[in-house]
């Protein structure tokens, strides 16, 4: 039983209950964290495990509230940690400000960035928040200007990020002397496409040089074999098939289904009942290679964090993966493995001079 919830909690809960009526003993999804939360609470009461492919809210890590919830992506807290280490990696500790929506996604991510940045001497000059969907953000933009920061972290989904970029250009916060960092919500082509899917050339220009993080995507031989099959699949049977492009979280959804299959196979061979306790513990004990690389979990069911480091380069219409960050390597290398030089707003790989130089008057005689 499958249903597109459209990020609606009501539709998500309806689909969840309908699936149980049809005999479901486990759930893949939801995509949206808000939908996963309502299903997670209901699932804990009804004894139905849940494995999400893209819900990243920090609250879902709380096993008192969501004991049967696991996920194929790391929580936003890990993203905040990796951004703090990226700032330290470049030596930009004194010239960063942040902006986010005032929801769990934005505030949770930036709070973790600030908390994990403190031991690295990362000092956020200004942190601005606004309601998702708001367009009048002049006060917030002016505060960013007054902060004199040259690196700006945006923890936003794409639509809100579009609003911020347009305003940032008005306030001269975009250019050769600035670096923008984007969370996974805006480190994708939807950042500069309109509601019809067409490229917005103006936004694409403003986005040049953005550095972002996205959950570790499809990679390796298994992923290439999957793409071979996807390219040759019938689109009337598998909507979206027929070429080698795939949604960012498509491989994660595939790995969710495969993880359940491995868990069920293990339990059946061990002659153990397929109940929620056994399913959850077996899934969280998995350690294997899937479409998205090595799959292993924290004790609480969060996938151990790894991210692609992405960069919008030249005139490309997609972000280029230039390296990776892994939590289990963070102590030795700050977690980063960078394979290609970063490209910045000016189109070069030269790290820009981000020192603030106030204007001054001079005279000669």
């Amino acid at each position: 039983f499958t249903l597109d919830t459209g990020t609606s909690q009501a539709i998500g809960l309806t689909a969840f209950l309908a699936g149980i009526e049809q005999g479901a003993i486990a759930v893949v999804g939801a995509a949206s964290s808000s939908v996963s939360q309502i299903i997670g609470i209901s699932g804990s009461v009804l004894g139905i495990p849940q494995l999400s492919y893209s819900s990243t809210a920090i609250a879902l890590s709380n096993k008192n509230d969501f004991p049967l919830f696991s996920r194929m992506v790391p929580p936003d807290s890990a993203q905040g940690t990796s951004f703090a280490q990226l700032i330290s990696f470049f030596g930009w500790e004194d010239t960063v400000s942040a902006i986010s929506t005032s929801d769990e996604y934005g505030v949770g991510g930036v709070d973790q960035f600030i908390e994990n940045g403190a031991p690295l001497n990362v000092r956020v000059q200004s942190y601005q928040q606004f309601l998702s969907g708001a367009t009048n953000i002049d006060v917030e933009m002016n505060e960013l200007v007054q902060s004199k920061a040259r690196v700006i972290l945006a923890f936003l989904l794409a639509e809100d990020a579009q609003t911020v970029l347009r305003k940032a250009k008005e306030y001269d916060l975009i250019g050769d002397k600035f670096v923008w960092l984007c969370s996974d919500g805006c480190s994708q082509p939807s950042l500069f496409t309109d509601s019809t899917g067409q490229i917005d050339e103006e936004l694409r220009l403003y986005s040049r040089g953005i550095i972002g993080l996205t959950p570790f995507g499809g990679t390796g031989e298994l992923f290439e074999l999957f793409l071979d099959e996807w390219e040759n699949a019938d689109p009337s049977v598998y909507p979206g098939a027929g070429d080698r492009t795939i949604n960012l979280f498509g491989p994660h959804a595939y790995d969710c289904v495969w993880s359940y299959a491995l868990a069920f196979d293990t339990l059946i061979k061990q002659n153990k009942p397929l109940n929620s306790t056994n399913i959850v513990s077996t899934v969280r004990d998995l350690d294997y290679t899937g479409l998205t690389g090595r799959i292993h979990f924290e004790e609480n069911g969060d996938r151990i964090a790894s991210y692609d480091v992405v960069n919008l380069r030249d005139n490309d219409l997609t972000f280029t993966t230039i390296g990776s960050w892994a939590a289990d390597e963070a102590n030795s290398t700050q977690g980063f493995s960078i394979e290609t030089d970063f490209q910045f707003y000016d189109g070069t790989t030269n790290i820009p001079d981000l020192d603030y130089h106030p204007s001054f008057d001079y005279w000669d005689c």
Side-chain angles (χ1 to χ4, degrees):
F1 183 87
T2 61
L3 183 67
D4 182 0
T5 68
T7 71
S8 165
Q9 290 184 322
I11 295 175
L13 183 57
T14 299
F16 171 69
L17 295 175
I20 294 175
E21 288 182 359
Q22 295 188 27
I25 60 171
V27 172
V28 172
S32 163
S33 292
S34 61
V35 178
S36 281
Q37 287 173 332
I38 192 69
I39 292 174
I41 292 171
S42 303
S44 67
V45 174
L46 298 173
I48 304 296
Q50 181 183 1
L51 184 56
S52 171
Y53 48 87
S54 64
S55 295
T56 58
I58 297 170
L60 290 164
S61 297
N62 185 335
K63 296 304 106 172
N64 291 324
D65 295 333
F66 307 101
L68 304 183
F69 176 86
S70 305
R71 49 183 157 192
M72 196 56 64
V73 290
D76 293 326
S77 54
Q79 198 169 174
T81 300
S82 55
F83 271 122
Q85 293 189 340
L86 182 63
I87 292 293
S88 177
F89 179 83
F90 277 108
W92 292 334
E93 293 90 345
D94 294 317
T95 186
V96 59
S97 286
I99 186 167
S100 79
T101 43
S102 54
D103 51 21
E104 185 175 2
Y105 175 73
V107 174
V110 176
D111 280 353
Q112 288 296 314
F113 169 72
I114 293 172
E115 179 180 332
N116 288 283
L120 301 173
N121 296 316
V122 176
R123 290 173 285 275
V124 176
Q125 307 302 310
S126 177
Y127 173 29
Q128 300 300 309
Q129 305 172 24
F130 65 95
L131 291 173
S132 180
T135 56
N136 184 357
I137 56 171
D138 293 278
V139 171
E140 289 80 6
M141 288 293 105
N142 188 59
E143 289 297 321
L144 291 181
V145 171
Q146 295 303 315
S147 76
K148 299 180 174 59
R150 296 302 181 92
V151 178
I152 300 174
L153 170 63
F155 233 99
L156 303 163
L157 298 181
E159 185 174 350
D160 291 313
Q162 291 182 355
T163 300
V164 168
L165 285 180
R166 293 189 193 280
K167 281 293 184 180
K169 185 62 176 178
E170 288 182 26
Y171 281 81
D172 293 325
L173 289 169
I174 291 176
D176 294 351
K177 299 297 184 182
F178 291 91
V179 173
W180 281 75
L181 309 177
C182 270
S183 64
D184 59 353
C186 50
S187 294
Q188 46 190 303
S190 55
L191 176 62
F192 46 83
T193 54
D194 62 23
S195 58
T196 68
Q198 298 300 307
I199 300 298
D200 185 314
E201 296 294 344
E202 187 177 65
L203 281 172
R204 172 58 187 83
L205 177 62
Y206 300 163
S207 305
R208 188 170 59 188
I210 282 178
I211 299 168
L213 297 172
T214 59
F216 208 62
T219 184
E221 182 179 356
L222 285 177
F223 181 60
E224 292 302 319
L225 290 172
F226 170 80
L227 289 180
D228 290 341
E229 294 191 17
W230 187 249
E231 186 176 18
N232 294 307
D234 184 352
S236 65
V237 179
Y238 303 99
D243 59 31
R244 299 183 73 80
T245 61
I246 190 170
N247 179 276
L248 173 64
F249 293 106
H252 300 80
Y254 184 99
D255 285 341
C256 284
V257 175
W258 191 246
S259 293
Y260 273 142
L262 291 174
F264 293 161
D265 181 65
T266 297
L267 292 171
I268 291 170
K269 287 178 178 177
Q270 294 175 350
N271 200 29
K272 292 182 178 180
L274 297 178
N275 59 36
S276 61
T277 299
N278 289 340
I279 293 171
V280 169
S281 63
T282 305
V283 166
R284 293 178 184 175
D285 284 342
L286 291 173
D287 190 341
Y288 73 99
T289 299
L291 298 191
T292 57
R294 184 185 178 189
I295 295 169
H296 52 151
F297 298 88
E298 304 279 3
E299 185 178 349
N300 66 358
D302 290 342
R303 185 170 177 179
I304 295 177
S306 58
Y307 291 100
D308 284 328
V309 181
V310 298
N311 186 203
L312 191 58
R313 308 164 69 86
D314 301 315
N315 296 314
D316 294 348
L317 299 180
T318 59
F319 282 79
T320 298
T321 299
I322 63 170
S324 61
W325 181 89
D328 49 9
E329 299 291 336
N331 291 333
S332 58
T333 64
Q334 292 182 304
F336 290 100
S337 174
I338 304 301
E339 301 169 1
T340 305
D341 288 340
F342 292 87
Q343 188 178 96
F344 298 95
Y345 185 85
D346 64 0
T348 75
T349 57
N350 301 321
I351 299 176
D353 175 13
L354 300 183
D355 288 337
Y356 175 73
H357 304 291
S359 59
F360 61 91
D361 295 323
Y362 70 93
W363 61 273
D364 59 16
C365 58

